[in-house]
Amino acid sequence: MTPNHYNFNQTTPQIEERVDALLAKMTLEEKVGQMMQIHIHEGNRAEMEERIRQGQVGSILSLYGVKDTNHAQRIAVEESRLGIPLIFGNDVIHGYRTIFPIPLAESCTWEPALLQEAARIAAEEASANGVDWNFAPMVDVCREPRWGRIAEGAGEDVYLGSVMAQARVRGFQAKGLTSGRKIAACPKHYAAYGGAEAGKDYNTVDISERTLRDLYLPPFEAAFDEGAGTTMSAFNDLNGIPSTGNAFILRQILREEWGFLGVVLSDWNAVGELVPHGFAADLKEAAKRAALAGVDMDMISDAYHAHLAELVREGAVPAPIINEAVRRILRLKIQLGLFENPYTDEALASESILKPEYRAKALEIAQKSMVLLKNEGGLLPLDEGQRIALIGPLADDHHHILGAWHRIGEDADTESVLDGMRAVFPLANVAHMEGIPLERGDAPHFREAVEAAQSADVAVLVVGEGEFMSGEAHSRAHLGLPGQQQALVEAVHATGTPVVVVLMSGRPLVIPWIAEHIPSVLQAWHGGIRAGGAVARILGGRVNPSGKLTATWPRAEGQIPIYYNHKSTGRPPTGDGTLQFDMIHLSDYMDEYISPQFPFGFGLSYTRFAYADLEVVTPTLGVDAALVVEAAITNTGERAGEEIVQLYVRDLAGEVTRPVKELKGFQKISLDPGESQTVRFEVPARELGFHGLDMSYKVEPGDFKVWVGPNAAEGLEGEFAIERG
Ligand code: NOJ
């Protein structure tokens, strides 16, 4: 079957001939020009347009509007000596104008096809609006909820992250976009940016090569295998060498081991930042180090523009390095069809956005991304006849729900939870009261909000983070509710009226009091333009929640980093910690449980699912065979529902230590009340390996455990063994 997406990580002799012909005509300055990505703003417009005219620019980022992109393109194509078209890059992270839930939320659907479709819609809108190159998907595995950028990825797991990375590449690079144009994806940030120490953005990452290869790199390799033809070198120092000057990851792994043919673009000013990193004495040395390491294009630092030609002339940077970089950039431009089709049709731009079917998909994804964390006593779904007090700073919010990377997304495109509630419940039954601001500040309506709760049958509190509290450079050390929100929740709870808490955030939060005292908690994330409708439909029972967490929720910040696939240690805890100063020498805490608040893979439904009859069909298998496991899942509740069935393994003893559990498969199934389904997993044994002592990937014969369950902390347990082949 021909894939319905493009593969830009490949080439043909015809393409290479075209590149050769172009390269032969180019001066050194024009070559270096191709290696520059610029940002145009009012302050530099005239200078940048002149640079384009002189053939000193290869790409522009974050230029919005077809008029402006076409204008710049016209200068490149019609006024520069060789007429090489520009490529326009942009950040279309969770939608262009139709804003979908943040990527972390999208991953909680565990439905790659949905992520692919959201990415395809984003590509439709973006390509009609002058974007050729999308700086997404963000594929940084992240075990750090303090890090604001956890919002942008698919959570903490390498397997899930790889599956989702591929789905998004397929969507962004879809064939048949209405504009007749193409988009190239850019998996980022290469590499291990998600490992930032202490969750501070841009921070140092110092990890073993094995962790790099086993945890952080596979989603990149998966994305390139799927046809992604570019990547972005990260800001972070990786084991003492900044990623943007790191030949080990940029040349040895990327080019030599993986055979990647695509373009490496630096992150914003990351070449220039080699100086504050203390990796280069000045901008010239930064340019040299980045070019030698394998950064093909400099995003705005001007290091290449100012120094690269001179470095070549001095012999400090060999000419073939420049030719190779330019070859990759020209190849991409040819693959994208920019030479034949440099301009975007201005008439299409506005009619290509926010189509009804896009809005419908945004609602579906929002609904499926939300995670029911608690529902004691079946308080949810609410009864339509109940009098509801809808309270909180995010209850009628039209902005924060858009999430961290909404860019040109507009508040006016959104529906708030209040809008949604008014559509689902009888108008007279929904009383709305903001209560307090999102952050610290005067709260003159605090008491009124509590009183509103007092006279209602149920209080729905919509609380959480603003969109600006996650995303780039927005790390937090305290992961509870900001401002007076916790006080409001406690005051409303004290009225005795049953409380539902709807949380909005860009990350896992630390909410031990809420988890203990509030009967029903729905995690709604920053759910995009239809988030309000999605919340209301879930609260009203029109939709049965099905999302499951893709990142562990801690009980306390002191547990971070906390993730399901940790190592055993030589002193694995036998209980859940909190021994309060008893001298038991195990790997736990004296003053906190070691278990998370909510484990990876966790999420409830309005119905219940029973797991039974685990059968390991292949109790022994060769390294070239597949592990086959079956289990029967039954809907034992009263409603139809969807369940995300997860398969985990543990390699009991290896030449290097292995995690206590590793996700190796998942399936989402839909069951009517009383219905049962036998779910069958087939996992190739080659996917059960790791990077061994010599750092090569291997599958080791030996004994394993396997679980099929509803999340990382529960499941039916079985055993199998891999035999020597
Ligand atoms: C910096 C961010 O780290 C990166 O993700 C983004 O693509 C660039 N800025 C361009 O906006």
Side-chain angles (χ1 to χ4, degrees):
M1 214 177 75
T2 343
N4 50 11
H5 70 280
Y6 293 102
N7 183 343
F8 297 126
N9 187 17
Q10 63 182 9
T11 189
T12 63
Q14 291 76 14
I15 291 178
E16 296 310 301
E17 274 166 31
R18 282 181 71 180
V19 173
D20 286 336
L22 269 168
L23 275 173
K25 291 189 216 155
M26 293 171 81
T27 64
L28 177 59
E29 276 69 19
E30 283 164 338
K31 289 177 184 172
V32 169
Q34 286 303 307
M35 297 171 72
M36 271 309 302
Q37 182 174 68
I38 60 163
H39 183 230
I40 297 186
H41 50 79
E42 277 323 308
N44 71 2
R45 184 173 304 276
E47 183 198 343
M48 290 302 153
E49 290 190 354
E50 188 50 29
R51 278 201 204 174
I52 299 171
R53 207 166 278 122
Q54 296 305 321
Q56 290 174 7
V57 176
S59 173
I60 301 182
L61 89 152
S62 300
L63 188 61
Y64 283 93
V66 184
K67 274 207 164 51
D68 282 358
T69 56
N70 280 346
H71 170 73
Q73 191 69 300
R74 213 156 271 126
I75 300 176
V77 171
E78 292 171 22
E79 299 178 33
S80 78
R81 191 177 76 90
L82 293 172
I84 299 174
L86 299 164
I87 176 169
F88 295 97
N90 220 320
D91 292 282
V92 186
I93 311 295
H94 50 108
Y96 182 75
R97 178 67 183 268
T98 300
I99 303 297
F100 292 98
I102 54 167
L104 180 62
E106 281 188 341
S107 70
C108 293
T109 64
W110 297 61
E111 244 185 270
L114 276 184
L115 274 71
Q116 179 175 337
E117 184 55 10
R120 194 194 63 80
I121 290 171
E124 279 284 8
E125 293 186 337
S127 90
N129 283 276
V131 179
D132 316 301
W133 188 7
N134 184 14
F135 306 145
M138 191 274 224
V139 303
D140 297 316
V141 171
C142 179
R143 297 167 160 178
E144 237 318 335
R146 290 173 293 185
W147 193 48
R149 304 200 77 169
I150 193 173
E152 297 175 46
E156 75 188 38
D157 188 64
V158 56
Y159 171 75
L160 187 72
S162 302
V163 171
M164 295 312 189
Q166 292 195 320
R168 289 191 165 118
V169 168
R170 289 195 296 273
F172 291 138
Q173 297 191 171
K175 288 184 179 167
L177 298 179
T178 320
S179 64
R181 304 175 62 78
K182 303 175 192 172
I183 286 212
C186 182
K188 66 185 187 187
H189 306 81
Y190 191 75
Y193 181 43
E197 266 180 16
K200 283 192 294 182
D201 207 1
Y202 316 118
N203 206 10
T204 305
V205 179
D206 206 325
I207 53 173
S208 72
E209 185 181 336
R210 185 164 299 105
T211 299
L212 176 69
R213 289 181 183 273
D214 278 345
L215 185 71
Y216 291 106
L217 293 186
F220 285 95
E221 196 179 4
F224 302 143
D225 285 349
E226 202 67 348
T230 80
T231 190
M232 187 182 289
S233 70
F235 288 125
N236 56 285
D237 178 331
L238 176 61
N239 299 340
I241 302 172
S243 293
T244 295
N246 195 319
F248 173 62
I249 57 168
L250 293 174
R251 285 201 187 279
Q252 184 182 314
I253 295 180
L254 192 61
R255 305 287 182 200
E256 286 161 33
E257 295 183 24
W258 296 348
F260 179 64
L261 292 179
V263 174
V264 175
L265 164 74
S266 82
D267 203 340
W268 179 278
N269 195 36
V271 177
E273 288 172 20
L274 295 180
V275 177
H277 265 297
F279 190 67
D282 52 28
L283 207 58
K284 184 171 175 186
E285 192 178 11
K288 176 177 137 189
R289 285 196 180 271
L292 291 178
V295 174
D296 301 321
M297 191 181 274
D298 171 358
M299 185 193 287
I300 73 100
S301 90
D302 247 18
Y304 282 9
H305 174 75
H307 300 292
L308 206 45
E310 186 189 347
L311 284 162
V312 174
R313 287 202 184 91
E314 289 168 5
V317 171
I321 286 200
I322 305 294
N323 288 337
E324 270 313 300
V326 178
R327 172 178 299 282
R328 292 192 273 263
I329 293 162
L330 295 176
R331 183 190 293 139
L332 179 66
K333 292 184 176 184
I334 293 169
Q335 286 170 321
L336 286 171
L338 293 176
F339 286 87
E340 293 74 29
N341 193 11
Y343 303 112
T344 305
D345 181 352
E346 293 182 22
L348 262 184
S350 57
E351 71 191 46
S352 304
I353 54 169
L354 284 174
K355 292 186 176 170
E357 62 268 31
Y358 300 170
R359 292 183 57 88
K361 198 46 85 176
L363 176 65
E364 181 188 352
I365 298 179
Q367 288 168 176
K368 291 184 166 187
S369 72
M370 294 182 183
V371 184
L372 183 63
L373 296 173
K374 193 177 171 194
N375 194 22
E376 223 169 58
L379 177 58
L380 291 175
L382 301 176
D383 198 79
E384 287 196 5
Q386 282 172 302
R387 286 167 307 140
I388 301 167
L390 181 65
I391 300 170
L394 293 166
D396 191 24
D397 162 71
H398 286 271
H399 178 68
H400 299 291
I401 46 173
L402 285 173
W405 266 116
H406 60 270
R407 283 280 167 107
I408 62 158
E410 291 189 6
D411 296 5
D413 300 335
T414 68
E415 62 197 79
S416 69
V417 175
L418 178 61
D419 296 338
M421 294 295 275
R422 285 184 171 152
V424 169
F425 294 88
L427 267 189
N429 287 1
V430 183
H432 168 244
M433 183 68 50
E434 183 177 305
I436 56 169
L438 189 65
E439 296 180 273
R440 268 188 297 251
D442 292 345
H445 304 297
F446 192 105
R447 287 276 15 120
E448 284 163 57
V450 177
E451 281 158 23
Q454 228 143 17
S455 50
D457 297 322
V458 61
V460 174
L461 276 159
V462 190
V463 291
E465 298 183 315
E467 54 86 21
F468 58 88
M469 295 179 195
S470 60
E472 185 181 349
H474 290 84
S475 294
R476 296 178 67 207
H478 302 282
L479 302 187
L481 297 177
Q484 298 176 59
Q485 296 186 58
Q486 180 66 29
L488 179 69
V489 176
E490 292 186 21
V492 168
H493 171 73
T495 62
T497 300
V499 178
V500 176
V501 163
V502 175
L503 294 169
M504 292 186 177
S505 68
R507 56 158 63 76
L509 296 172
V510 172
I511 49 152
W513 190 92
I514 289 176
E516 187 180 340
H517 296 94
I518 300 298
S520 294
V521 184
L522 178 71
Q523 169 61 10
W525 308 107
H526 292 139
I529 54 170
R530 305 298 307 276
V535 167
R537 291 158 69 88
I538 290 175
L539 297 188
R542 298 192 184 180
V543 168
N544 191 351
S546 59
K548 297 208 183 198
L549 300 175
T550 57
T552 303
W553 281 45
R555 295 173 185 275
E557 288 86 352
Q559 293 180 311
I560 299 171
I562 180 168
Y563 47 92
Y564 84 94
N565 50 353
H566 57 84
K567 299 290 185 72
S568 167
T569 80
R571 299 269 178 104
T574 47
D576 202 8
T578 70
L579 293 169
Q580 293 300 353
F581 307 99
D582 281 356
M583 292 297 287
I584 296 184
H585 293 73
L586 298 175
S587 178
D588 58 13
Y589 299 111
M590 291 187 291
D591 56 356
E592 185 52 272
Y593 294 111
I594 52 163
S595 63
Q597 191 78 64
F598 301 108
F600 175 84
F602 177 82
L604 300 171
S605 161
Y606 291 155
T607 189
R608 292 178 305 279
F609 298 98
Y611 284 64
D613 303 331
L614 181 80
E615 191 189 345
V616 182
V617 181
T618 54
T620 55
L621 59 143
V623 286
D624 298 322
L627 166 69
V628 182
V629 179
E630 293 181 353
I633 322 298
T634 307
N635 181 345
T636 58
E638 282 81 48
R639 283 170 180 265
E642 287 182 314
E643 171 68 339
I644 298 158
V645 185
Q646 300 156 44
L647 178 132
Y648 297 88
V649 302
R650 176 171 182 181
D651 183 350
L652 295 184
E655 65 176 35
V656 297
T657 58
R658 306 299 307 131
V660 295
K661 272 190 179 177
E662 293 178 273
L663 181 75
K664 292 293 175 186
F666 60 87
Q667 286 180 41
K668 193 166 185 178
I669 58 170
S670 190
L671 294 177
D672 284 331
E675 196 187 354
S676 258
Q677 186 179 324
T678 297
V679 173
R680 181 182 171 93
F681 289 96
E682 295 188 19
V683 183
R686 67 172 178 278
E687 293 179 10
L688 305 180
F690 56 90
H691 290 86
L693 276 180
D694 63 1
M695 222 44 89
S696 70
Y697 182 84
K698 61 182 60 165
V699 180
E700 245 191 356
D703 294 335
F704 286 73
K705 278 191 176 168
V706 59
W707 294 264
V708 174
N711 59 65
E714 297 172 78
L716 305 171
E717 185 179 311
E719 289 166 1
F720 67 97
I722 295 185
E723 293 183 319
R724 222 159 281 282

